[in-house]
Amino acid sequence: MQRLDLRQLLSQKLSPQQIQFIKLLQIPTVELEARIKEEMEVNPALEEGREEPENEYSDSDSDDYDSDDDYGKDDVDINDYLNDDEISGYKMQGDRGGDDDDDREMPIAMSTSLTDNLMDQLGFLELDDKQYTIGMQLIGSIDSDGYIRRDLSSIANDLAFSQNVMTTEEEIEQVLHMIQTFDPAGIGARDLPECLLLQLERREQDETIRLAERIIKDSFEEFTKKHYQKIQSKFGVSEEELKKAIDVIIKLNPKPGGSGAGMTRVQYIIPDFILTNENGQLQLSLNSRNAPDLRISRSYADMFDAYDKSDKKDKKLKETVAFVKQKLDAAKWFIDAIRQRQNTLLRTMEAIIKYQHDFFLEGDESQLRPMILKDIAEEIGMDISTVSRVANSKAVQTEFGIYPLKYFFSEGIATDSGEDASSREVKHILKEIIDKENKRKPLSDEKIEKLLNDKGYNIARRTVAKYREQLNIPVARLRKEL
């Protein structure tokens, strides 16, 4: 049988305004402009620009709706909309600029794609229709790093099924050899050794180049593992001759596709904050280029005022008033969310500056203090999730470069003095130790651990290995040089 129970539940639900604020908070400045334009397209009551209200509007004299009408239960003052017609009270970079400066677009790097570059070079070859079709298929099979990883038999099948071109692997390889002569050097290789050999073939041939080719062809595995003594014994060369050949190989490009433009458009980073140092005083401002001033449409406000003072017994008129009120409310909520976003960004960044003040003054990584999301959340009196949304997608421009906010967050490591050192500071010192080591006898993780302990950092060997891997530094054996 069906049962009918009464239950009391206590739960938390986000309001539509809160959801809107969260979504606006987590997007970076570069995406905010598009979000604002999207809102303006769907809500005609929202406009861009600044304007002081000229007239006072009030609905105090208007009659109430009938008691059974939901639309008449809320009294609305037009001044609530008109007095909030602009976002002010925030110091923003570019507020002093004119209209021309506001309309200027951010720079975008334009370049030719790798595929277009290769297709242009293919057009200079004297090929028949079949060879040209094979060449197009090969170029389309080249990955972004410049390699062809598909088997020639698979490419032959693709040509047969998609292009109705019957060919053999020998014909495809013949065209491939032509493509491998294109720039950049090494393009169209099927593996790393072939890529390096293609680049060596273009060098002026001498004993060093020939030795480098022999190493790649016959001892590539020993080379990757840096077993240089085995290579030296195998080829019967001196240490100096081997060193010259190794120097040639390591200067070759392992990803030739990266030297061409893999992307047709590259958007530069747009910082959300601008931080300047004025005679030792740090000045923070928001980048307002992609956050235009917003206001309530005066025409919609006038329309609402006229409808509100008219006869409210007409059903269609009631629906019109409800629609206009809905758009006005949505516009006001959006402007409030933008204002709240700017306030939250400023409070969060100011707290970060307070924690990392010494770093922002000098730009020295060793001055970074340990700082976690909880520290900033407690400082500004907000939830950790709010700080996380700000830190994960925002950047600040300083005199030392542009940094993502999450760069300043790191765990603490105890020192002999009883203070906590930032993990980033430890990584910085670890990198300095490795940079200064004797490359003929690179330091092991155990020796690096001892050096760090001598400097007062209580760190374990496994932590040294973890930080070294995060810095993309190989183990001691792979750092060894002749």
Side-chain angles (χ1 to χ4, degrees):
M1 292 179 61
Q2 292 183 347
R3 294 181 58 186
L4 185 62
D5 296 331
L6 293 177
R7 295 182 181 180
Q8 286 186 335
L9 297 176
L10 184 63
S11 61
Q12 290 182 332
K13 291 185 178 181
L14 293 176
S15 66
Q17 296 92 327
Q18 290 173 319
I19 295 174
Q20 186 178 62
F21 166 68
I22 291 173
K23 291 181 178 180
L24 286 173
L25 182 63
Q26 64 190 10
I27 63 174
T29 300
V30 68
E31 298 177 12
L32 183 61
E33 182 182 19
R35 177 65 185 89
I36 291 175
K37 288 182 177 179
E38 177 184 343
E39 185 70 19
M40 292 174 64
E41 288 178 358
V42 299
N43 190 352
L46 185 66
E47 287 184 349
E48 185 176 343
R50 295 182 176 217
E51 182 180 345
E52 293 294 335
E54 298 177 359
N55 301 313
E56 296 294 331
Y57 296 87
S58 175
D59 63 347
S60 58
D61 298 332
S62 61
D63 297 329
D64 293 332
Y65 290 138
D66 296 336
S67 58
D68 59 347
D69 193 330
D70 292 338
Y71 302 137
K73 293 181 179 179
D74 297 329
D75 291 334
V76 181
D77 188 353
I78 298 300
N79 290 311
D80 291 340
Y81 299 107
L82 296 182
N83 291 337
D84 285 332
D85 63 345
E86 63 180 49
I87 305 171
S88 58
Y90 300 98
K91 184 179 180 183
M92 297 185 179
Q93 186 76 10
D95 280 350
R96 297 185 298 273
D99 295 337
D100 294 339
D101 184 64
D102 292 338
D103 294 337
R104 189 182 306 154
E105 295 183 357
M106 294 304 292
I108 297 178
M110 302 298 295
S111 58
T112 304
S113 68
L114 175 64
T115 301
D116 291 339
N117 184 23
L118 296 176
M119 288 299 298
D120 290 341
Q121 297 180 68
L122 183 68
F124 289 105
L125 299 180
E126 296 181 0
L127 304 176
D128 55 33
D129 292 342
K130 182 178 181 180
Q131 289 177 320
Y132 188 80
T133 303
I134 294 173
M136 291 177 60
Q137 187 71 28
L138 286 170
I139 290 175
S141 301
I142 295 178
D143 293 338
S144 59
D145 56 2
Y147 289 85
I148 290 182
R149 293 184 171 86
R150 298 205 67 200
D151 295 334
L152 297 186
S153 59
S154 299
I155 295 177
N157 292 334
D158 291 343
L159 287 166
F161 288 110
S162 62
Q163 304 286 343
N164 197 26
V165 174
M166 307 305 296
T167 185
T168 63
E169 293 185 29
E170 289 74 15
E171 290 177 315
I172 296 175
E173 188 155 9
Q174 181 182 4
V175 178
L176 176 60
H177 289 323
M178 298 180 187
I179 293 176
Q180 289 175 343
T181 64
F182 292 173
D183 290 327
I187 200 73
R190 286 159 284 188
D191 52 37
L192 180 57
E194 184 178 22
C195 176
L196 301 178
L197 287 172
L198 288 171
Q199 297 177 58
L200 289 174
E201 289 175 358
R202 302 196 187 189
R203 299 289 186 91
E204 183 178 351
Q205 295 297 310
D206 56 23
E207 291 299 326
T208 301
I209 299 299
R210 284 191 284 270
L211 176 58
E213 291 177 343
R214 291 173 62 192
I215 292 173
I216 294 174
K217 289 178 181 178
D218 303 329
S219 299
F220 188 72
E221 184 176 355
E222 289 86 350
F223 167 74
T224 57
K225 295 180 178 180
K226 295 199 172 184
H227 293 163
Y228 296 138
Q229 291 183 350
K230 291 183 180 180
I231 298 175
Q232 186 177 350
S233 300
K234 182 175 182 178
F235 295 111
V237 295
S238 65
E239 183 176 327
E240 184 64 26
E241 290 173 329
L242 180 60
K243 185 177 184 304
K244 289 182 179 180
I246 297 298
D247 288 342
V248 170
I249 295 175
I250 62 177
K251 291 178 181 177
L252 299 175
N253 185 4
K255 294 183 179 181
S259 59
M263 298 178 64
T264 57
R265 295 174 68 88
V266 179
Q267 177 69 53
Y268 292 113
I269 295 177
I270 300 177
D272 302 84
F273 307 93
I274 311 294
L275 185 65
T276 57
N277 188 341
E278 303 291 343
N279 299 321
Q281 297 294 323
L282 297 176
Q283 302 292 332
L284 176 66
S285 58
L286 279 171
N287 184 349
S288 62
R289 182 180 296 274
N290 291 318
D293 301 304
L294 300 174
R295 67 185 181 191
I296 301 295
S297 170
R298 184 168 297 277
S299 60
Y300 256 67
D302 293 341
M303 187 188 307
F304 182 80
D305 187 48
Y307 287 154
D308 189 47
K309 293 179 180 179
S310 61
D311 183 11
K312 302 179 179 62
K313 295 182 179 180
D314 184 272
K315 184 176 180 180
K316 291 185 178 180
L317 185 58
K318 291 180 181 179
E319 294 176 353
T320 303
V321 172
F323 173 79
V324 174
K325 180 180 181 297
Q326 179 188 16
K327 293 302 181 182
L328 288 172
D329 284 338
K332 187 174 186 296
W333 290 341
F334 189 80
I335 292 175
D336 288 341
I338 293 291
R339 179 187 293 109
Q340 190 176 356
R341 176 185 187 273
Q342 309 290 17
N343 181 54
T344 303
L345 292 181
L346 277 174
R347 290 178 61 189
T348 304
M349 190 63 218
E350 287 170 352
I352 293 175
I353 294 173
K354 182 179 179 181
Y355 252 85
Q356 308 292 359
H357 186 268
D358 293 340
F359 169 80
F360 289 115
L361 283 177
E362 302 177 6
D364 185 359
E365 288 187 356
S366 62
Q367 298 294 327
L368 284 172
R369 295 175 54 196
M371 182 179 72
I372 58 177
L373 295 173
K374 183 180 179 181
D375 297 330
I376 302 301
E378 291 177 349
E379 179 73 21
I380 64 177
M382 292 187 177
D383 192 80
I384 294 178
S385 62
T386 301
V387 179
S388 176
R389 287 186 174 93
V390 175
N392 285 336
S393 58
K394 309 298 184 297
V396 57
Q397 177 179 312
T398 70
E399 296 180 354
F400 320 107
I402 298 178
Y403 294 89
L405 296 197
K406 60 183 178 182
Y407 174 84
F408 305 108
F409 292 88
S410 61
E411 298 177 352
I413 295 176
T415 63
D416 291 342
S417 62
E419 299 178 352
D420 282 343
S422 167
S423 60
R424 195 172 298 280
E425 175 186 345
V426 178
K427 291 179 184 179
H428 180 70
I429 296 175
L430 186 150
K431 187 175 185 302
E432 285 185 345
I433 292 175
I434 293 178
D435 289 341
K436 295 178 180 178
E437 70 182 358
N438 183 357
K439 296 305 180 183
R440 289 176 176 268
K441 296 181 180 180
L443 299 172
S444 64
D445 290 345
E446 290 81 2
K447 292 181 180 179
I448 295 176
E449 174 197 358
K450 186 176 183 303
L451 290 174
L452 288 172
N453 290 338
D454 292 341
K455 290 178 178 290
Y457 299 99
N458 300 324
I459 185 171
R461 186 203 61 79
R462 62 179 178 273
T463 308
V464 172
K466 182 180 74 171
Y467 288 172
R468 177 179 50 75
E469 291 172 357
Q470 290 176 353
L471 293 170
N472 294 321
I473 298 176
V475 297
R477 177 172 56 81
L478 297 180
R479 299 199 306 269
K480 184 177 181 180
E481 297 179 1
L482 291 175

